[in-house]
Amino acid sequence: MCWGESSGAWHATLAGLHAADRVASVSLIEPNGVIARTPWRALLKVIRFGGNTTDEGWRKMAEWLTPGVTMTDVERATAKASQGYRIAAGWARPLKDAELESFAPPLLAIYGGASVVSDPVAARRRLAERLPSAEVEVYPGTGHGVRGQVPDEVMARIVEFLARHDTAVRLDR
């Protein structure tokens, strides 16, 4: 099992793409920029937020990403601490058609229906065309923080997916 959320979805995707023999399945939560392009307006807004790294700036970005959800002090401190992190694997980019078509592990992609950084409609369409075995779940009314907004539903969906695809994983512990 390999899973990732937001930019971590890019890392999980790379593991599934380049080490498929070591990955039983891949679950992606809000994989912005991996299946479908991140909208330009979202990229520009993230850059703008990046210039305002105050607590108020982080609050505004979190509210934009997931309206109605307030960042905790720990989440804000973690986000601030991560500012200097540089991703060795580079930033997410949409998989090429051939990469998507050759993706071997079972794939689950979960999206917030009202996400500002992902395009669930385009992602679902692209997966249906290029990797029809992929499973896509879209939670209406949720944003980029879909796992935090509807944690029981998202985790139940992932556990159900794992139960079907990761035979070595015991989910009854």
Side-chain angles (χ1 to χ4, degrees):
M1 170 193 72
C2 188
W3 76 280
E5 183 172 3
S6 190
S7 62
W10 176 238
H11 298 198
T13 300
L14 293 175
L17 189 62
H18 299 295
D21 59 324
R22 300 178 67 191
V23 176
S25 72
V26 175
S27 297
L28 308 176
I29 303 171
E30 267 294 294
N32 47 300
V34 175
I35 307 300
R37 293 196 183 285
T38 300
W40 281 107
R41 67 185 180 285
L43 293 173
L44 293 173
K45 198 154 193 165
V46 167
I47 290 169
R48 193 176 111 231
F49 280 129
N52 184 8
T53 57
T54 63
D55 283 352
E56 180 61 14
W58 280 107
R59 186 197 64 72
K60 285 180 180 179
M61 184 166 77
E63 176 64 26
W64 171 70
L65 285 170
T66 309
V69 175
T70 303
M71 267 182 130
T72 66
D73 291 339
V74 171
E75 289 168 333
R76 190 172 28 264
T78 302
K80 283 181 167 182
S82 72
Q83 284 180 286
Y85 176 70
R86 297 295 173 251
I87 301 171
W91 292 101
R93 61 162 177 77
L95 293 177
K96 295 175 182 165
D97 288 347
E99 291 172 321
L100 202 51
E101 291 165 354
S102 71
F103 200 86
L107 176 69
L108 170 63
I110 294 176
Y111 290 92
S115 177
V116 294
V117 294
S118 293
D119 185 343
V121 173
R124 183 187 299 266
R125 182 177 49 247
R126 186 156 186 251
L127 285 169
E129 292 169 0
R130 303 291 176 191
L131 187 63
S133 64
E135 298 177 34
V136 180
E137 196 73 44
V138 179
Y139 292 89
T142 61
H144 186 63
V146 60
R147 186 176 56 88
Q149 287 180 285
V150 289
D152 294 341
E153 290 92 338
V154 170
M155 295 314 293
R157 180 63 173 97
I158 291 171
V159 167
E160 180 273 328
F161 180 75
L162 293 176
R164 286 187 288 115
H165 297 290
D166 294 21
T167 57
V169 176
R170 290 206 35 173
L171 300 173
D172 59 347
R173 292 182 191 183

